[in-house]
Amino acid sequence: MAGTQYRYLPPETLDSLKNIELVARALVEGGMLGLHRSPYRGFSSEFAEYRKYVPGDSIRYLDWKAYARCDRYYIKCFEEETNLRSYIVLDKSDSMGMPDTKAPAKFNYACYLAAAFMYLMHQQHDGVGFFAYDDDVRVVSECRCSRSHLIDLLKMLENLRPGGRSDAGSCLKLIAERIPKRSLVLVFSDYFDTDPDFLKALDHLHFKNCEVVMLQVLNDNELHFPYKGLIEFEDLETGDTVDLEADSCREYFLRSLAEYNRRIKDFCDCRRIAFETLTSSTPFERALAVYFAKREGMF
Amino acid sequence: MDFGRMIFLWGLLAVPLPLLLHLFFKRRKQRVKFSTLLFFLRRERYFAYRRRLLELLLLALRILAVLLLVFALSRMFFKRFTFIAGAKTEAVIVLDDSMSMQRRLASGGTAFDMALKKAEDILDSLSGDDNVALVFVSGKTGADLTGDKNTVLQQLRQSSVTAAAGSITAAVQSAIEQLRQAPGTNREIYLISDFQRTAAPSHPIALSELKNSRLFCLPLRGSDSNVSVELPPPGLAPVIVGRAVNIPFKLINHGQTDREVKVELEVDGVTIQSRNVIVASESAVSDAFSWPPQRSGRINGYVHIDDDSVALDNRAAFTCDVSGDVRAVMVHDGTPRDADPFFYLRHAIDPEQDRHLYGIAAITVPLERFSAASLKDATILFWAADGRLSASAASAIKEFLDTGGTLISLPRTPAAVPDFNALCSAYGFRLVNPYRQPEERSACGLRFLPPLAGFNEMLQLNLLKWRRMAPLNPGNSGRVLAESGGVALIVEQLIGCGRWIALGFDLRRGCSDWPLLKSFPVMAVALVNYAAGTRDVIVNLTCGGKMELKGKKIAFQDYAGHRGDLPVVNGMATWSETWLPGVTTFDGADVRAVVLRTSAPESDLRLADDSVIKDSFDASVTLLDPGEEIAGQVVALRQGTELTGLLLSLLLVVLTVEYLLGADGGMLRRAVKKIFSHDREAK
């Protein structure tokens, strides 16, 4: 890795992520041992609890000292460390390609973040899968933890270009069907969808006990609406245009956006889904750090 | 439109300035690719077309503001018509002097008094170079266009209300005709009238053809309460001294309230009788005075009512010739072939010779004793003589006819025909077969024609059987009074002031059985009364009318006692001084007296609406307010209304709207903000 330059994983980013550990909020199943707690009791080094011996248990885990003290058979249970199955879901519709003069485009920013997560998970020996969608699921990469897979994913990210109209509802539903239970799902999108019911697709992930993190990527223009005067706004996805007096409608736009995000947030809170809005002007590594700090507080 | 300070109109060059500024500072549309329009589509009020509309509105307001400012500085005037200042004005004052102008106004005076005052105001409003004419609605002679306003003023002051109806249409057309020939640039007609509803023109008066003309109407509104008196035409019966005569009259209340009116009969200046009569609103009451004349001769009288409104229709005149008994002279030649030709007639009209039961004295005179003296005080001359007329007899008959006597001739032998033909020729008149011998002829019935037709039904004249008759030919100038089976048997012809009535039958049983019938005496008395009547020489004429009189030398005396001679040309004279009601008598004319009556519609004082006034003309009409000074109104209308105040007010409104609508884009608002922001920074 050190000798290869990837567009979305520059060396400075790699340096800043060196000491960050990704810890999933919930225990997830994993085929490989790692740093994540598992809901299954295993036999690792970290003691969890005692339980009574039942026939069939391996006598290797009998606590003989306890037997000596109280003349009863107890089995020592340890927390089993498993590998995390994480999936990166990236919205590649045209709306994500909205340009920004002072910062990377939303799509690029999301790709940077996705690459950073991929790298981190790889470092933790977690499997990483990847999906990209617009009005259909365009890229599907199953969850693996090999180094070559990480390289493939990063190249995949490099080759992605924003395009197409967004149909988050149906795409997330399709993606949810392919993601196994108890996975960590990171969704990068602006969540601007004309179908107000697109969030219901997230219920599928919720029912599978997946940890879902929704990262809304906006740029400063969307967040602060700095436009002035007579503007002809062109919808990047539909090509529709509308002439507006930017000064007059700024307040309404911001209020509408806040209301829109509040509804998404309410939806997420009900399902213990994390929702965070990030701006493309924020250094993405800092955004990651802030995010993880917030996540750590939950454990 | 006109402008007081034309120099400021150069300011119109600044009108495009807001447009240029608008184009110069017009914001260019910026195109931005945006992730979604999701948050824009719900509210249309932010769309730019609304903004563009607002900007266009603001642009229009700013252009309007510049226009208003320029026009206000230019002292813009609004004129309802083109009046070229400094040019000569030709004005015609059309003054309504009809009887209705005697109506009372709220100020107490009459409408005509007010009209005179307003006409003088109009004269004052004209400058020294202007010409003015005066036209009376009644048709009285006014003044042609003249620069001498004193002449017109004098004529105004000498004018008075007439009892004529007149015609507004004719008066305005007369004014138009005068203006059409006038050289002046500004042409004005001032119509001063009460605009009585009954006098409104039936068709719009054509005024639009007259270029540069204006019509000012000055309606003088007053009370429409009025009571008038009218007299029906006189009856047929002769008026005889000592015998009661009926003077019927009709009172008409034109107002909206019931009235009790005092009615008086005045004869020869003396009130004879009076009574109070109640007349309901908008209705009429007929009544009559009965009065026996005490002297013979012409008697003029009035029926007078006591009414505060129009004075001229408070008095209705009548006149009559009062005589003693009707004196009927019956001439025959003394050697009748078949007894006395007037036997039955005499017993019919004067059955008791001493008492003159019907007021008729029948006097029989033989032809050989007939002379001018025989006709002294005679009213009717019956002639049934076969013999030749002597020169003295012909002269006496001619004089008798000249003085209004009536000759009734019976058919006789042809011997007398040449003499009567000569008599006819003296008048330039020829009655065909006036005097011929009856011939054998069988027929039934006799039918009287107007004015004696009323007797036909009553007297059963269809029972009459004829044996002999002398058919008459009325010619062009005769009037048939009675006929049988289409044969004229009684023909009347006016001669001089008198009449010749020819009978085509004898009044004896040899001709018919009529003398034996009961209808004969009745009809004989009626015919004598008709012949003795003076109806045909007393004419009823409506005031304002004209009359042709025949005569060689005609003198008149009007109701006020004024005497004079009428100019006669070729035996004809025209009498047109008929402005006031009353009786005018003539000497030497074919008409003895004329009773001038008021025009009945003029007593109806109901007023026409303003819309009716305007619809009476095919051009625009300017109504003047009689309550204001006329000269001031006219001068103001000529000058127009200065709109500076209005324009400045509008400018203020426009700037306020611009300020309110402009928001951040408003020019004025931006300027105000800028000033205040400077102040804050300075502090």
Side-chain angles (χ1 to χ4, degrees):
Chain A
M1 271 297 301
T4 310
Q5 285 287 320
Y6 298 99
R7 182 183 172 194
Y8 295 123
L9 202 56
E12 56 270 29
T13 303
L14 293 176
D15 291 342
S16 66
L17 295 177
K18 216 177 273 182
N19 298 318
I20 298 174
E21 290 186 353
L22 175 63
V23 181
R25 179 172 61 86
L27 300 174
V28 294
E29 292 182 352
M32 297 178 63
L33 292 176
L35 295 178
H36 303 283
R37 288 184 299 175
S38 167
Y40 304 102
R41 294 290 174 258
F43 303 94
S44 62
S45 58
E46 191 169 348
F47 172 78
E49 63 182 349
Y50 288 108
R51 69 171 170 82
K52 284 187 176 179
Y53 170 80
V54 292
D57 286 344
S58 175
I59 58 170
R60 286 196 297 167
Y61 301 109
L62 276 174
D63 188 340
W64 296 108
K65 291 180 179 173
Y67 175 72
R69 283 196 297 271
C70 59
D71 199 21
R72 287 179 186 166
Y73 298 109
Y74 287 98
I75 296 294
K76 284 179 74 175
C77 293
F78 300 91
E79 286 195 350
E80 187 178 40
E81 290 184 350
T82 65
N83 282 11
L84 179 66
R85 283 193 299 269
S86 56
Y87 289 89
I88 307 290
V89 180
L90 179 64
D91 177 5
K92 64 171 281 291
S93 64
D94 270 326
S95 66
M96 290 292 286
M98 181 178 167
D100 193 344
T101 52
K102 298 177 182 175
K106 291 195 295 182
F107 182 76
N108 294 345
Y109 187 85
C111 286
Y112 280 126
L113 276 177
F117 274 108
M118 287 171 183
Y119 179 76
L120 276 174
M121 288 168 181
H122 174 74
Q123 289 293 91
Q124 294 173 138
H125 306 290
D126 292 335
V128 181
F130 179 62
F131 296 95
Y133 72 90
D134 42 49
D135 57 347
D136 199 357
V137 181
R138 302 295 181 190
V139 176
V140 177
S141 178
E142 293 301 336
C143 181
R144 290 179 192 146
C145 56
S146 66
R147 181 180 176 79
S148 60
H149 181 63
L150 175 64
I151 292 168
D152 289 343
L153 290 181
L154 293 177
K155 285 183 178 175
M156 223 178 273
L157 276 178
E158 280 187 0
N159 295 330
L160 271 182
R161 295 289 179 272
R165 300 179 65 166
S166 173
D167 186 4
S170 58
C171 290
L172 288 176
K173 190 175 175 184
L174 287 173
I175 291 167
E177 289 171 358
R178 303 189 65 139
I179 291 179
K181 293 191 290 184
R182 303 178 189 280
S183 300
L184 172 64
V185 183
L186 294 166
V187 187
F188 296 89
S189 174
D190 53 11
Y191 301 106
F192 292 154
D193 201 296
T194 52
D195 180 10
D197 294 331
F198 78 96
L199 289 171
K200 289 182 180 175
L202 297 173
D203 282 336
H204 292 271
L205 294 172
H206 179 68
F207 295 148
K208 284 187 170 183
N209 287 329
C210 291
E211 177 75 12
V212 182
V213 178
M214 294 175 62
L215 294 171
Q216 185 185 37
V217 183
L218 301 177
N219 67 22
D220 279 345
N221 291 344
E222 290 169 326
L223 210 56
H224 303 299
F225 204 73
Y227 304 106
K228 288 183 177 176
L230 180 62
I231 307 285
E232 183 189 46
F233 289 100
E234 179 186 353
D235 191 314
L236 281 167
E237 292 188 8
T238 63
D240 294 341
T241 59
V242 61
D243 292 348
L244 288 169
E245 198 54 49
D247 307 276
S248 303
C249 66
R250 177 180 299 110
E251 186 183 343
Y252 174 74
F253 174 86
L254 295 176
R255 197 167 61 243
S256 299
L257 177 62
E259 174 67 15
Y260 185 80
N261 284 346
R262 190 189 58 74
R263 280 195 283 113
I264 296 176
K265 179 81 173 158
D266 290 346
F267 178 88
C268 294
D269 287 346
C270 292
R271 291 158 180 81
R272 299 183 63 204
I273 295 173
F275 175 78
E276 195 64 38
T277 300
L278 302 171
T279 64
S280 56
S281 62
T282 311
F284 60 89
E285 56 271 27
R286 186 183 161 203
L288 274 176
V290 170
Y291 168 71
F292 284 124
K294 191 179 284 187
R295 293 295 297 166
E296 279 176 352
M298 296 176 66
F299 292 101
Chain B
M1 295 291 180
D2 204 353
F3 299 95
R5 298 179 192 139
M6 303 284 277
I7 187 83
F8 281 98
L9 288 180
W10 286 102
L12 289 174
L13 293 175
V15 170
L17 195 60
L19 181 63
L20 294 175
L21 290 173
H22 174 80
L23 294 175
F24 185 76
F25 291 110
K26 187 179 179 184
R27 293 172 303 161
R28 301 288 178 259
K29 190 165 64 177
Q30 188 183 351
R31 192 181 180 90
V32 168
K33 291 186 176 181
F34 204 72
S35 52
T36 182
L37 303 183
L38 194 62
F39 308 116
F40 299 132
L41 301 179
R42 295 178 194 171
R43 288 282 181 94
E44 290 190 353
R45 66 190 174 104
Y46 301 119
F47 286 150
Y49 71 84
R50 295 175 60 89
R51 183 75 185 188
R52 277 199 292 273
L53 277 177
L54 189 65
E55 285 179 353
L56 288 175
L57 181 61
L58 286 170
L59 174 65
L61 285 173
R62 287 161 193 167
I63 291 175
L64 183 61
V66 174
L67 277 173
L68 289 172
L69 182 64
V70 170
F71 287 150
L73 291 173
S74 306
R75 285 188 61 199
M76 191 169 81
F77 287 88
F78 173 72
K79 287 186 174 180
R80 295 169 69 180
F81 51 79
T82 307
F83 182 85
I84 301 170
K88 194 172 181 179
T89 298
E90 310 283 354
V92 179
I93 300 171
V94 179
L95 184 64
D96 187 355
D97 58 344
S98 63
M99 190 177 75
S100 63
M101 289 291 283
Q102 267 195 329
R103 75 173 72 226
R104 293 282 169 187
L105 301 181
S107 58
T110 66
F112 190 74
D113 296 338
M114 177 68 81
L116 290 178
K117 186 173 175 301
K118 298 300 177 185
E120 290 185 18
D121 286 351
I122 292 167
L123 281 178
D124 291 342
S125 73
L126 298 171
S127 65
D129 295 335
D130 298 338
N131 286 334
V132 63
L134 181 63
V135 174
F136 290 107
V137 169
S138 66
K140 280 173 84 171
T141 305
D144 291 337
L145 277 170
T146 175
D148 183 7
K149 294 179 190 61
N150 284 331
T151 305
V152 178
L153 190 60
Q154 285 297 112
Q155 194 140 15
L156 271 176
R157 288 176 178 169
Q158 289 172 3
S159 63
S160 59
V161 177
T162 69
S167 165
I168 287 179
T169 303
V172 173
Q173 282 173 345
S174 170
I176 292 171
E177 199 55 39
Q178 290 200 47
L179 289 176
R180 188 170 285 146
Q181 297 164 2
T185 308
N186 300 314
R187 295 166 170 171
E188 295 175 348
I189 297 175
Y190 297 89
L191 175 54
I192 310 173
S193 172
D194 57 349
F195 292 99
Q196 193 186 5
R197 189 185 298 179
T198 54
S202 54
H203 300 290
I205 301 171
L207 187 65
S208 56
E209 301 169 359
L210 194 63
K211 291 180 180 176
N212 288 339
S213 63
R214 276 82 57 188
L215 175 64
F216 300 98
C217 287
L218 181 63
L220 301 172
R221 310 294 195 189
S223 167
D224 60 358
S225 173
N226 184 34
V227 178
S228 62
V229 60
E230 292 179 5
L231 297 187
L236 296 175
V239 182
I240 298 168
V241 173
R243 293 178 185 273
V245 61
N246 273 344
I247 309 292
F249 60 87
K250 184 163 80 170
L251 302 180
I252 305 170
N253 183 358
H254 303 275
Q256 307 293 319
T257 55
D258 297 351
R259 294 280 304 277
E260 182 176 5
V261 182
K262 183 180 181 183
V263 192
E264 294 175 338
L265 174 66
E266 177 187 317
V267 176
D268 291 339
V270 177
T271 300
I272 304 296
Q273 296 177 25
S274 70
R275 70 181 63 153
N276 286 346
V277 177
I278 296 174
V279 193
S281 62
E282 294 183 327
S283 61
V285 169
S286 295
D287 202 345
F289 286 114
S290 183
W291 154 74
Q294 300 301 311
R295 66 169 179 86
S296 60
R298 177 160 302 282
I299 288 179
N300 296 332
Y302 298 94
V303 173
H304 180 267
I305 61 172
D306 188 12
D307 177 39
D308 291 337
S309 187
V310 177
L312 286 175
D313 64 1
N314 289 349
R315 206 168 67 153
F318 67 91
T319 185
C320 55
D321 282 332
V322 183
S323 61
D325 293 337
V326 173
R327 189 176 173 87
V329 176
M330 300 173 174
V331 178
H332 62 94
D333 53 11
T335 53
R337 288 169 303 162
D338 44 8
D340 184 357
F342 299 116
F343 176 79
Y344 291 102
L345 178 64
R346 188 165 47 248
H347 282 86
I349 63 176
D350 190 10
E352 297 177 22
Q353 299 278 317
D354 297 332
R355 292 177 55 195
H356 308 317
L357 186 62
Y358 301 120
I360 303 169
I363 299 156
T364 304
V365 178
L367 178 61
E368 64 271 16
R369 281 192 280 169
F370 178 74
S371 65
S374 306
L375 294 175
K376 186 169 185 258
D377 297 329
T379 311
I380 300 170
L381 171 61
F382 282 95
W383 194 269
D386 288 331
R388 299 290 303 271
L389 277 175
S390 65
S392 59
S395 174
I397 291 173
K398 183 175 180 298
E399 187 179 349
F400 174 69
L401 290 172
D402 277 342
T403 54
T406 301
L407 168 64
I408 300 178
S409 63
L410 278 67
R412 290 289 96 181
T413 60
V417 170
D419 300 323
F420 274 89
N421 282 344
L423 189 62
C424 294
S425 299
Y427 289 99
F429 155 73
R430 182 180 178 81
L431 183 67
V432 182
N433 289 331
Y435 199 73
R436 57 180 293 188
Q437 192 167 14
E439 57 193 40
E440 300 285 338
R441 197 160 183 167
S442 296
C444 286
L446 180 67
R447 188 170 67 92
F448 280 91
L449 301 175
L452 300 172
F455 291 99
N456 290 328
E457 293 293 324
M458 181 177 65
L459 297 178
Q460 295 182 313
L461 291 170
N462 56 336
L463 301 176
L464 196 154
K465 291 180 181 172
W466 296 101
R467 299 186 190 93
R468 299 171 66 197
M469 61 174 66
L472 301 174
N473 185 348
N476 294 325
S477 55
R479 178 166 67 158
V480 178
L481 295 179
E483 52 93 18
S484 174
V487 176
L489 290 180
I490 303 177
V491 172
E492 177 190 30
Q493 175 65 53
L494 298 178
I495 297 176
C497 293
R499 283 177 289 180
W500 183 348
I501 297 175
L503 305 183
F505 53 89
D506 269 333
L507 301 175
R508 298 282 299 187
R509 286 186 296 169
C511 271
S512 68
D513 59 353
W514 196 22
L516 302 178
L517 299 179
K518 292 178 181 176
S519 61
F520 180 76
V522 176
M523 207 57 238
V525 171
L527 185 64
V528 167
N529 279 335
Y530 173 72
T534 56
R535 190 184 75 250
D536 284 339
V537 291
I538 297 174
V539 176
N540 287 310
L541 184 68
T542 302
C543 289
K546 290 182 180 178
M547 192 168 186
E548 298 290 331
L549 298 169
K550 294 176 184 173
K552 292 180 180 174
K553 184 181 179 184
I554 301 174
F556 71 89
Q557 180 179 3
D558 67 12
Y559 54 89
H562 300 135
R563 294 173 180 273
D565 293 328
L566 290 180
V568 179
V569 178
N570 296 328
M572 300 290 290
T574 302
W575 182 54
S576 59
E577 289 299 314
T578 57
W579 307 118
L580 295 173
V583 177
T584 300
T585 55
F586 297 95
D587 287 333
D590 57 342
V591 173
R592 288 184 191 171
V594 172
V595 178
L596 289 169
R597 301 189 182 283
T598 59
S599 172
E602 281 294 308
S603 296
D604 185 355
L605 300 185
R606 286 176 296 173
L607 299 168
D609 298 332
D610 287 351
S611 59
V612 174
I613 298 172
K614 289 181 176 175
D615 292 343
S616 300
F617 304 91
D618 69 348
S620 67
V621 177
T622 306
L623 292 177
L624 299 176
D625 182 2
E628 302 289 332
E629 189 189 0
I630 296 301
Q633 292 183 65
V634 172
V635 169
L637 284 167
R638 285 174 183 161
Q639 289 179 344
T641 306
E642 186 176 346
L643 301 175
T644 304
L646 178 66
L647 292 172
L648 287 175
S649 303
L650 281 175
L651 178 63
L652 187 63
V653 171
V654 165
L655 290 178
T656 306
V657 173
E658 198 269 351
Y659 176 78
L660 294 174
L661 283 182
D664 290 339
M667 189 166 60
L668 187 64
R669 195 162 185 164
R670 281 204 301 266
V672 171
K673 276 186 175 177
K674 201 170 183 178
I675 292 168
F676 280 101
S677 63
H678 281 315
D679 287 349
R680 282 195 213 104
E681 285 170 10
K683 287 175 183 176

